[in-house]
Amino acid sequence: MSGNSGLYVGHVMHRRLRPRRHALRYGVFSLLLDLDEIDALGQRLRVFSRGRFNLFSFHDRDYGDGSDQPLRTQVERHMWAARIVPDGGAIRLLTMPRILGFAFNPLSVFFCHGRDGALRAILYEVNNTFGQRHSYLLPVDCEQAAPQAGQIRQSCAKAFHVSPFMGMDMRYDFLVKPPVDQLSIGIAVCDSLGPVLLASQEAKRRPLNDAALLRVFVTHPLLTLKVVGGILSEAARLWVKRVPVHDCPAPPDHSVTIPSQPREGACI
C-alpha cells in the first residue's frame, strides 16, 4: 500500500489567447508524495529513492529554499507567516521526480491539511528556466469553494518572472480539484483585459508501485528532460509568431508571496 502517496497520469494543456493564439498539449505524470511517507516509499520501492540516484528519485533540495532543512519545517514556517496554524496534518507534494538524476518542475504544489483532513492551504512553487524559484501560499476556506463539488478557487497577483513572453502586471486565478481519484489544476493568467493564457493539468490516480513506475518510464521516456526541451521549443515558436518579449526582472526579495487577502474578479 502507498498510503496517502500516489501516482497521477494525465496531460498538461496550455492555450494562449493574446496577442497571438497558440496551444500545446502533452502527456505527463506526477507523484503525490506525503512528506511523512517518503522514506518508507524509498524502502519499499526498488526504482524510487530519496536522496540518492535511482531510476526515479526525490531530493529535498530541489524544493523550498534548497537547503537541508526538512520541507515540512519550511512549509509550516510559511503557514505561520500566513497566520495559518499548522497542527501536524498531512502535507502532500504533487511534483515530477528526478528521472535518471534530472528534474525540472515548472510547477510543484504542496497541499497542506489539518489533522482533521481539511485542506488548510495550497503552496504553489514555481521554477523558471533562469534557475530561480518562487512560491505563492494561499489559504483555503469555505468561501473559496466553487459550485462544482470539491473544487477550490484562489487568486493572487503575479510576483515572479516565468516566461519572457509574459509581462509582470498580471494575476493568477486558480481552480483546483485536490488529488483523490483524480486531480485537476487550472490556471488563468490574466491582465486588465482578461485571460491571456489558460493552463491546466488533468490526471487520474494509479497505484504507486514499481510496476506502475516502470510503465510510465516507458510510456513517458525521459519526461523531465522533455519538459525543458518542450519549453525551449515552444519559446522558439512564439518568437517566430512575433509575440512580444519581456526582459527578466530581478526576482522578489522574499521567497514566498503571501497575499494579505483574497483578490476579487477571478476570470476563470
Side-chain angles (χ1 to χ4, degrees):
M1 297 296 291
S2 57
N4 293 316
S5 302
L7 170 66
Y8 286 81
V9 182
H11 65 270
V12 165
M13 181 278 294
H14 286 196
R15 183 158 58 95
R16 178 181 286 267
L17 306 177
R18 296 185 281 118
R20 302 285 189 277
R21 288 189 172 273
H22 185 75
L24 64 92
R25 187 179 188 274
Y26 59 90
V28 68
F29 69 86
S30 301
L31 299 184
L32 181 71
L33 299 172
D34 188 303
L35 297 187
D36 296 333
E37 294 180 353
I38 299 176
D39 286 331
L41 288 171
Q43 294 172 4
R44 179 175 63 80
L45 299 171
R46 294 184 179 182
V47 298
F48 173 85
S49 298
R50 182 178 196 169
R52 62 182 179 85
F53 181 83
N54 203 332
L55 185 62
F56 300 92
S57 58
F58 178 86
H59 291 249
D60 295 67
R61 65 178 179 272
D62 291 339
Y63 306 91
D65 62 11
S67 71
D68 293 328
Q69 187 177 48
L71 288 176
R72 172 178 280 277
T73 300
Q74 295 186 47
V75 173
E76 290 184 342
R77 182 173 68 246
H78 301 318
M79 292 175 69
W80 280 109
R83 299 181 180 179
I84 304 168
V85 179
D87 62 2
I91 298 177
R92 298 166 188 152
L93 169 61
L94 183 72
T95 190
M96 288 185 291
R98 289 194 186 192
I99 300 176
L100 294 175
F102 179 79
F104 177 74
N105 276 282
L107 176 67
S108 295
V109 183
F110 292 82
F111 295 92
C112 308
H113 299 260
R115 284 187 177 274
D116 59 0
L119 187 60
R120 302 286 181 82
I122 301 178
L123 186 146
Y124 303 90
E125 183 177 274
V126 182
N127 289 281
N128 64 22
T129 54
F130 303 97
Q132 301 168 336
R133 179 181 303 155
H134 189 76
S135 298
Y136 301 85
L137 178 63
L138 304 181
V140 173
D141 57 52
C142 60
E143 294 180 357
Q144 292 172 318
Q148 300 85 354
Q151 292 185 320
I152 295 166
R153 289 187 184 273
Q154 296 177 308
S155 184
C156 68
K158 180 179 179 180
F160 177 64
H161 179 79
V162 178
S163 167
F165 301 98
M166 286 284 185
M168 289 297 297
D169 190 15
M170 294 184 168
R171 74 173 186 271
Y172 295 125
D173 291 338
F174 302 95
L175 182 61
V176 179
K177 183 176 182 179
V180 186
D181 293 333
Q182 301 182 32
L183 75 85
S184 175
I185 299 174
I187 306 172
V189 186
C190 307
D191 61 14
S192 59
L193 300 178
V196 177
L197 174 72
L198 302 176
S200 66
Q201 179 178 354
E202 306 280 343
K204 294 183 179 180
R205 184 179 177 112
R206 296 184 182 176
L208 180 50
N209 54 44
D210 286 317
L213 288 173
L214 289 171
R215 191 175 300 113
V216 294
F217 179 75
V218 172
T219 57
H220 302 70
L222 302 178
L223 174 63
T224 51
L225 187 61
K226 286 186 174 181
V227 167
V228 175
I231 291 172
L232 297 177
S233 174
E234 294 303 320
R237 293 180 183 181
L238 291 173
W239 183 80
V240 168
K241 290 184 177 183
R242 298 185 178 181
V243 175
V245 175
H246 301 265
D247 292 334
C248 178
D253 294 333
H254 49 287
S255 62
V256 180
T257 291
I258 302 174
S260 57
Q261 59 185 4
R263 291 177 59 93
E264 297 179 352
C267 62
I268 288 181

